[in-house]
Amino acid sequence: MRVSIIGTGYVGSVTAACFAALGHEVICIDIDEKKVRQINDGYPPVWEEGLEDLMQEHVGKNLIATSDYEYAVQNTDISFICVGTPSGDDGGIDLSIVGAASKSLGSAIATKKGYHVVVVKSTVVPGTTEDVVLPLIEEYSGRIAGEGFGIAMNPEFLREGRAVADFMNPDKIVVGSIDERSGALVSELYRDIDCEITHTNIRTAEMIKYANNCLLATKISFANEIGNICKKLGIDTYEVMDAVGKDSRLSPYFLNSGVGFGGSCFPKDVRALIAKAKDMDYYPSLLESVIEVNELQPLQMVDLLQEKIPDLSGKKISVLGLAFKSNTDDIRESRSIPVIRKLLELGAEVKAYDPLASENMKMVFDNITYCENIDDSLRDADACLIMTEWDEFRDLDESFSLMKEKLVIDGRHVIDPDALSTDIEYIGICW
């Protein structure tokens, strides 16, 4: 099939490369000419494991990029909207980019002969596709939805760092559509993936995405709340959650206590659903608590540090991990950000290291030291805070010997304290 992908961020780039790998002809659309050139050279605009290999394999064969909407629409049958939906000041999502893409698509569809399906893959609150995207395309195309063009919603369930693997081996595929024809065409794109497709209406498909992410975020905040209580009781929360996760009704996933969740999805999606609920005069107290726990959680790293070093002025603190999770360079809502900000407020000197995310973090903090390796970050440090669960942080006993004061506070349960030298003081945030 012939597919165009609007937007080349995490979702768009992965969707384009994976559809190409499945044998479809794919055209990426982006208004950023630099990204267009980058893709046509075989390099994705974002880092994702396995993504560059896929692009280099398919660019020039069945994958190209352009900034020309009309060319892309004329030469494809289905267009996926994969643009960003950033948070507004009230926590609700900003639909300006979705709206702009819809207008451009509508204008391109107006000059096309034949049926064209528009699929929203961007994460949008229930009602957006039918109340925003559909009328804009009708207005700018001069056609009627269900007659001159089709509309569908196909949410993504991709984990950053594992997005390619998740796309090709999904737990679920959800297709919401206004009619059977649109839904069938979208479903056909996934014919070579061994996964059941859930067919539903558009609003339900939109809500499935939010319910999915909000539940996962809730599990994390719940695990952190229990972890904080366990900490005060002298109980290993990981031992507790290991047993809890054996319950078939719960599963062990997303029950790891730590410094909380970040990234482009969970914080934004929970806040967006909160804002949507309040717009309908409903107060979502549980979701509000999920965010509250998550906002307070990373600052406990600083509290634990100050219990050992009350005055942090002039102290050298090593921060290991800047990305919001391992296997990505994404720092959006990283739990390192509030920790570093607080350390700087208290007068500490921060020496940071991350395998991938340092360049991105430089756009947030230009007044900390970014180190090329772990040893440089730890050398002469008064304490070390571990903020991201990179595998290379798991065995640092020898590197810790470079510290001035051998105090290690682990925010991700990556260190085995039993494997550490006896002169290293190890503290877990929730254990």
Side-chain angles (χ1 to χ4, degrees):
M1 298 180 71
R2 304 185 306 165
V3 188
S4 47
I5 308 293
I6 304 166
T8 58
Y10 282 93
V11 175
S13 293
V14 171
T15 300
C18 289
F19 275 151
L22 290 170
H24 303 298
E25 296 180 24
V26 181
I27 300 175
C28 297
I29 310 172
D30 204 296
I31 59 174
D32 187 335
E33 292 289 354
K34 180 180 177 181
K35 290 183 178 180
V36 170
R37 289 192 300 271
Q38 193 172 347
I39 291 171
N40 285 330
D41 287 338
Y43 297 99
V46 298
W47 189 91
E48 269 293 329
E49 186 173 352
L51 181 57
E52 184 175 319
D53 291 340
L54 278 185
M55 279 207 170
Q56 297 213 344
E57 181 181 351
H58 293 281
V59 162
K61 298 176 184 176
N62 60 334
L63 174 62
I64 62 170
T66 181
S67 59
D68 188 337
Y69 270 84
E70 184 137 353
Y71 171 81
V73 169
Q74 292 293 336
N75 289 280
T76 58
D77 307 302
I78 302 176
S79 294
F80 280 77
I81 297 177
C82 300
V83 299
T85 52
S87 295
D89 294 337
D90 63 349
I93 58 173
D94 180 351
L95 293 173
S96 59
I97 309 175
V98 171
S102 301
K103 293 174 184 177
S104 296
L105 267 177
S107 297
I109 290 171
T111 62
K112 179 179 178 177
K113 294 180 180 179
Y115 197 75
H116 195 87
V117 178
V118 176
V119 187
V120 177
K121 206 167 187 67
S122 299
T123 299
V124 293
V125 294
T128 301
T129 302
E130 291 172 298
D131 298 341
V132 177
V133 177
L134 186 154
L136 282 174
I137 293 176
E138 284 190 330
E139 178 184 351
Y140 282 80
S141 69
R143 301 185 184 187
I144 298 174
E147 297 178 12
F149 67 94
I151 284 280
M153 206 286 161
N154 175 217
E156 51 85 14
F157 302 96
L158 307 176
R159 295 169 294 174
E160 286 190 32
R162 297 176 176 82
V164 171
D166 285 347
F167 192 102
M168 303 303 281
N169 302 280
D171 293 319
K172 57 181 171 288
I173 297 171
V174 176
V175 177
S177 59
I178 59 169
D179 56 25
E180 187 175 337
R181 181 181 182 183
S182 299
L185 285 170
V186 176
S187 299
E188 181 64 16
L189 289 167
Y190 297 98
R191 64 183 181 273
D192 291 330
I193 292 180
D194 184 18
C195 181
E196 179 185 357
I197 296 178
T198 299
H199 292 276
T200 184
N201 61 50
I202 288 175
R203 289 192 180 213
T204 301
E206 291 167 329
M207 190 63 186
I208 288 170
K209 168 65 176 180
Y210 277 92
N212 193 95
N213 280 2
C214 287
L215 178 56
L216 294 176
T218 300
K219 289 185 73 174
I220 295 171
S221 281
F222 171 78
N224 288 337
E225 191 88 279
I226 295 297
N228 294 337
I229 298 170
C230 285
K231 179 77 172 179
K232 292 186 177 295
L233 291 171
I235 297 169
D236 186 341
T237 185
Y238 272 73
E239 187 176 351
V240 172
M241 288 306 180
D242 181 62
V244 170
K246 291 177 181 177
D247 190 318
S248 61
R249 297 167 297 177
L250 299 174
S251 90
Y253 303 110
F254 291 84
L255 289 178
N256 292 334
S257 299
V259 290
F261 56 81
S264 62
C265 294
F266 288 1
K268 178 173 74 72
D269 292 352
V270 177
R271 292 190 186 106
L273 193 56
I274 289 171
K276 182 68 174 178
K278 289 179 177 178
D279 283 345
M280 300 180 292
D281 295 322
Y282 178 78
Y283 185 81
S285 55
L286 175 60
L287 297 182
E288 290 274 23
S289 296
V290 169
I291 292 294
E292 182 182 6
V293 170
N294 197 59
E295 291 299 302
L296 294 173
Q297 194 67 11
L299 296 178
Q300 295 205 46
M301 296 287 285
V302 181
D303 292 341
L304 290 169
L305 177 61
Q306 287 192 287
E307 287 179 12
K308 299 295 181 179
I309 310 175
D311 183 8
L312 291 174
S313 180
K315 298 298 183 181
K316 295 180 180 179
I317 309 301
S318 169
V319 175
L320 295 183
L322 301 174
F324 85 91
K325 59 179 282 188
S326 61
N327 299 314
T328 182
D329 62 353
D330 195 347
I331 62 164
R332 285 176 288 182
E333 298 279 353
S334 168
R335 299 296 80 195
S336 295
I337 293 175
V339 169
I340 293 173
R341 185 176 291 122
K342 187 65 176 180
L343 290 173
L344 294 175
E345 288 175 4
L346 296 170
E349 297 179 19
V350 177
K351 300 169 64 183
Y353 168 74
D354 188 282
L356 292 175
S358 291
E359 289 302 315
N360 288 337
M361 192 62 86
K362 287 177 182 178
M363 293 184 283
V364 180
F365 298 108
D366 61 3
N367 54 346
I368 68 175
T369 301
Y370 294 92
C371 300
E372 294 294 324
N373 54 61
I374 295 171
D375 287 356
D376 285 349
S377 179
L378 291 173
R379 188 170 285 110
D380 298 325
D382 293 287
C384 169
L385 308 184
I386 299 177
M387 299 298 300
T388 311
E389 63 277 25
W390 288 101
D391 284 341
E392 63 186 276
F393 297 164
R394 297 188 184 279
D395 184 14
L396 298 180
D397 190 48
E398 187 174 331
S399 296
F400 287 146
S401 66
L402 300 170
M403 298 174 65
K404 179 181 177 183
E405 301 294 337
K406 297 174 178 57
L407 172 62
V408 177
I409 303 177
D410 188 353
R412 293 296 186 186
H413 203 261
V414 299
I415 298 292
D416 178 6
D418 295 332
L420 295 175
S421 302
T422 55
D423 61 340
I424 296 174
E425 184 174 8
Y426 171 87
I427 301 171
I429 186 174
C430 291
W431 54 90

